[in-house]
Amino acid sequence: DKGLHRLPDHPLGILKNVIENYFCEVDPSVSFTVMDDLSPIVSTYANFDSVLVPADHVSRSANDTYYVTKGSVLRCHTSAHQLELLKHGHKRFLVTGDVYRRDTIDATHFPVFHQVEGVRVFEPHEWESQNLSSLELASTELKTTLEGLVRHLFGECEMRWVDAYFPFTEPSYELEIFFKGEWLEVLGCGVMQSSILDAAELDGHRAWAFGLGLERLAMILFDIPDIRLFWTPDPRFSQQFKSGMFRAGGVGMKKFSSYSKYPPCYKDVSFWLPQDKNFTENSLCELVRSIAGTLVEEVKLIDEFENKKLKRTSHCYRFTYRSMERSLTDDEVNEIQNEVRQRLETDLHVVLR
Ligand code: PHE
């Protein structure tokens, strides 16, 4: 309920506005409807089935997605809204919102992050008047529009299109840019599967769609080193950002300057995995997050071995605890770590060593 993407002076809000402006400026005669307040709790139908995610796809598992009830989840992507918005008659829209995934713990992963989704539907007369096939028009326009978006965000830069797979688009691509010496994936996109348009009673139309993660791009463009910073109430963070400050590629823009990092505290824990092998790193991370919140910086597997005779596997994890705002005391880290150790046994059924 923080709605970081709706705060105009927050880096996520700044970036969202820059993206929305691009879609309003690119061709003012075709305006995009902008939505940023749709509920993140959606049906499993919307999150998966409506965008053709196969019944056995890993993203459906409770290890990857947060289930609210059997039939509803915290959306794992903003694509969950595609079909419903099309059904409501929207032909060009941008949806920004918080999305949720169970995942690893490190500087670029957090269980909640933000995506922008864009969809553009074409009418038959648009390709007929240009003597193009619908697929040609949709894929060319998709590519020029998104290359323009990338220049709007990163300035002139080298780009490449990489073939990708999403169940809801065909063909599917990722757009990568060469930035500060490495290739970075910026967004996923493609030509929407016709069956989605059919389901929205838009048979005979064509559409493209794209999705991008705001944190990744904001971390690159503003030089923000740790994803937890987006959530800090510390004014030393928030005072460095102001709507209107953005410059393409960060050129001539004041970047984020880190305030002193507080010391980390490392805790290692070794345990035997449960013998039914029903253990995943995501559930370990979820457990640590639920106890430590933003005080955990990284969870890393540092050793693993199998005792062939006993047929048991042992894992050793290193937890890095560090606050973005202050020094942690030994007592409070020990308290967190003790609870983690207990819950590892009671909830994840491992045997501590
Ligand atoms: N929903 C996809 C993701 O989260 C991104 C995407 C959106 C890809 C729209 C293609 C079209 O990775």
Side-chain angles (χ1 to χ4, degrees):
D1 58 1
K2 284 220 160 68
L4 299 182
H5 59 291
R6 287 191 296 273
L7 305 175
D9 295 326
H10 188 277
L12 299 177
I14 296 174
L15 198 54
K16 165 183 178 278
N17 282 330
V18 171
I19 293 170
E20 289 173 354
N21 286 341
Y22 168 76
F23 281 93
C24 298
E25 286 161 13
V26 67
D27 182 353
S29 66
V30 294
S31 62
F32 277 72
T33 306
V34 168
M35 279 160 282
D36 62 13
D37 209 5
L38 301 175
S39 169
I41 299 175
V42 301
S43 64
T44 51
Y45 175 81
N47 199 69
F48 302 119
D49 306 79
S50 81
V51 280
L52 316 175
V53 174
D56 57 356
H57 196 270
V58 283
S59 66
R60 290 190 187 245
S61 78
N63 188 48
D64 287 43
T65 294
Y66 291 98
Y67 279 76
V68 179
T69 63
K70 202 163 168 288
S72 64
V73 296
L74 288 170
R75 65 186 163 207
C76 71
H77 56 179
T78 41
S79 303
H81 300 290
Q82 280 186 9
L83 179 60
E84 201 176 342
L85 292 171
L86 289 169
K87 278 187 178 166
H88 277 89
H90 293 287
K91 299 263 167 56
R92 297 183 187 91
F93 55 87
L94 296 175
V95 178
T96 305
D98 35 325
V99 299
Y100 300 77
R101 293 185 195 175
R102 291 169 55 111
D103 215 325
T104 45
I105 295 184
D106 62 29
T108 59
H109 289 88
F110 201 67
V112 44
F113 61 104
H114 298 77
Q115 283 188 330
V116 179
E117 184 95 4
V119 171
R120 151 74 154 118
V121 179
F122 295 88
E123 312 274 341
H125 72 83
E126 294 184 78
W127 60 83
E128 283 159 8
S129 65
Q130 297 187 57
N131 260 322
L132 292 172
S133 74
S134 58
L135 190 61
E136 278 167 339
L137 176 64
S139 46
T140 333
E141 219 243 30
L142 167 70
K143 288 188 172 179
T144 49
T145 307
L146 295 177
E147 285 170 9
L149 172 64
V150 164
R151 277 193 295 273
H152 188 72
L153 297 176
F154 289 90
E156 283 307 327
C157 61
E158 212 184 322
M159 301 179 210
R160 68 181 183 197
W161 289 97
V162 180
D163 288 326
Y165 167 77
F166 302 105
F168 32 95
T169 49
E170 176 64 33
S172 305
Y173 308 100
E174 278 163 3
L175 181 50
E176 297 187 344
I177 61 164
F178 197 68
F179 194 74
K180 293 191 182 155
E182 46 177 349
W183 284 101
L184 297 167
E185 182 212 315
V186 175
L187 54 82
C189 65
V191 177
M192 191 180 284
Q193 294 277 13
S194 311
S195 61
I196 300 177
L197 290 165
D198 296 348
E201 292 178 55
L202 287 167
D203 336 27
H205 290 63
R206 271 285 183 193
W208 56 243
F210 76 89
L212 58 79
L214 282 178
E215 274 82 349
R216 252 177 77 80
L217 300 188
M219 288 177 81
I220 298 167
L221 287 162
F222 294 100
D223 267 352
I224 297 171
D226 189 309
I227 195 166
R228 291 174 300 164
L229 283 163
F230 292 108
W231 299 88
T232 181
D234 194 321
R236 287 173 301 172
F237 179 78
S238 47
Q239 281 169 2
Q240 297 194 38
F241 302 95
K242 193 85 196 128
S243 72
M245 74 182 285
F246 184 79
R247 300 286 173 275
V251 181
M253 177 175 91
K254 208 178 149 297
K255 302 287 181 58
F256 175 67
S257 68
S258 286
Y259 35 88
S260 69
K261 269 208 174 190
Y262 294 90
C265 177
Y266 304 106
K267 294 283 176 190
D268 292 354
V269 56
S270 299
F271 48 81
W272 296 109
L273 299 194
Q275 266 163 325
D276 59 12
K277 295 246 160 67
N278 220 339
F279 171 88
T280 65
E281 190 168 306
N282 278 1
S283 24
L284 169 66
C285 287
E286 179 61 20
L287 187 147
V288 180
R289 232 5 142 186
S290 73
I291 297 164
T294 55
L295 300 182
V296 57
E297 179 171 278
E298 191 173 40
V299 170
K300 197 170 172 185
L301 181 64
I302 54 172
D303 189 37
E304 151 168 41
F305 73 89
E306 205 185 320
N307 183 322
K308 292 249 160 55
K309 259 217 304 279
L310 297 174
K311 292 215 182 81
R312 305 205 73 173
T313 305
S314 168
H315 279 182
C316 179
Y317 277 92
R318 173 157 300 164
F319 303 143
T320 308
Y321 295 105
R322 181 185 345 228
S323 160
M324 313 291 310
E325 289 92 29
R326 60 196 173 80
S327 287
L328 297 176
T329 64
D330 282 348
D331 284 353
E332 89 188 292
V333 175
N334 286 336
E335 199 177 310
I336 293 173
Q337 188 63 8
N338 282 338
E339 189 172 347
V340 168
R341 291 176 64 90
Q342 272 177 27
R343 297 260 308 273
L344 271 165
E345 289 196 303
T346 53
D347 297 13
L348 299 184
H349 313 293
V350 310
V351 178
L352 295 176
R353 303 181 53 218

